[in-house]
């Protein structure tokens, strides 16, 4: 109960919503990093015994399965780490989807301003030109959208419970 109250206060703080939006803008980098780490593990352990072309017969006429033999020789710690990386990648994709779904619930102008400023990293001059409002009006609309988005994010369990690297 105490965590929920802290979180509610957390997301009703504009600065915290901005942190989530900044993380959202960088989430593809986090996914790429995790995928690269997973690929390195897979190359290291699954590539160990792949000297042939899959199920090619050996000199003893036995069928060789490099993947099967590699799996049997993977240390438990490496297997756990690969599982953790796969789960992290899925969580990041899910989080990305959930955050964008919450942004999409905003009215069109608010959504456009939030996406343009925080995700596309456009300048206020460009944003005001595209939405046909002054820069001052755009900033006011952004502030209103941040408050609405804070309430929306607070209702989303995945977004609410994610451990952000602040």
């Amino acid at each position: 109960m105490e965590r929920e109250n802290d979180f509610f206060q957390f997301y009703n703080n504009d600065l915290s919503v901005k942190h989530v939006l900044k993380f959202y803008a960088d989430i593809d980098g986090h996914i790429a990093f995790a995928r690269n780490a997973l690929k390195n593990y897979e190359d290291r352990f699954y590539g160990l015994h792949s000297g042939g072309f899959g199920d090619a017969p050996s000199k003893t006429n036995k069928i060789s399965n490099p993947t099967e033999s590699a799996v049997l020789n993977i240390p438990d710690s490496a297997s756990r780490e690969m599982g953790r990386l796969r789960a992290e990648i899925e969580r990041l994709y899910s989080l990305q989807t959930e955050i964008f779904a919450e942004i999409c619930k905003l009215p069109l102008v608010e959504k456009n301003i939030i996406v343009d400023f925080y995700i596309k990293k456009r300048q206020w001059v460009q944003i005001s030109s595209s939405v046909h409002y002054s820069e001052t009006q755009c900033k006011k609309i952004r502030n209103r959208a941040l408050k609405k988005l804070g309430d929306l994010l607070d209702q989303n369990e995945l977004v609410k419970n994610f451990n952000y690297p602040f």
Side-chain angles (χ1 to χ4, degrees):
M1 184 73 173
E2 187 175 311
R3 168 118 165 88
E4 289 180 24
N5 290 338
D6 290 344
F7 191 81
F8 182 73
Q9 292 170 356
F10 175 80
Y11 271 109
N12 282 320
N13 175 348
D14 287 349
L15 189 60
S16 301
V17 176
K18 291 175 186 177
H19 283 302
V20 171
L21 290 170
K22 182 181 180 330
F23 183 77
Y24 177 84
D26 297 336
I27 205 164
D28 285 328
H30 292 279
I31 292 170
F33 183 80
R35 290 180 84 181
N36 190 39
L38 178 61
K39 183 183 180 317
N40 288 340
Y41 268 103
E42 288 174 341
D43 288 349
R44 180 175 173 195
F45 291 105
Y46 292 134
L48 282 178
H49 299 93
S50 58
F53 294 97
D55 291 340
S58 67
K59 292 180 183 175
T60 59
N61 291 329
K62 293 182 181 174
I63 301 295
S64 169
N65 187 339
T67 303
E68 183 179 333
S69 62
V71 167
L72 295 175
N73 294 318
I74 294 177
D76 288 342
S77 61
S79 184
R80 281 192 302 274
E81 182 62 14
M82 286 188 281
R84 186 195 68 75
L85 287 168
R86 285 184 189 100
E88 182 68 15
I89 291 165
E90 287 302 315
R91 272 180 18 125
L92 288 169
Y93 276 127
S94 296
L95 180 68
Q96 186 178 41
T97 301
E98 291 295 318
I99 293 172
F100 193 71
E102 299 302 338
I103 292 170
C104 288
K105 292 178 183 176
L106 294 171
L108 183 62
V109 172
E110 292 177 2
K111 175 177 61 177
N112 288 341
I113 289 173
I114 293 293
V115 168
D116 284 351
F117 188 73
Y118 291 102
I119 299 166
K120 294 182 179 177
K121 306 212 185 288
R122 294 177 71 197
Q123 299 294 319
W124 285 114
V125 168
Q126 297 168 314
I127 296 169
S128 66
S129 174
S130 70
V131 296
H132 307 291
Y133 286 102
S134 71
E135 289 182 40
T136 304
Q137 287 173 309
C138 287
K139 290 175 184 177
K140 288 179 182 178
I141 293 168
R142 179 217 34 206
N143 292 338
R144 187 174 60 233
L146 288 174
K147 287 182 186 358
K148 288 180 185 178
L149 190 56
D151 292 337
L152 291 169
L153 293 174
D154 189 50
Q155 296 171 15
N156 187 306
E157 290 301 316
L158 177 64
V159 176
K160 185 194 307 194
N161 295 322
F162 190 82
N163 188 17
Y164 296 94
F166 293 122

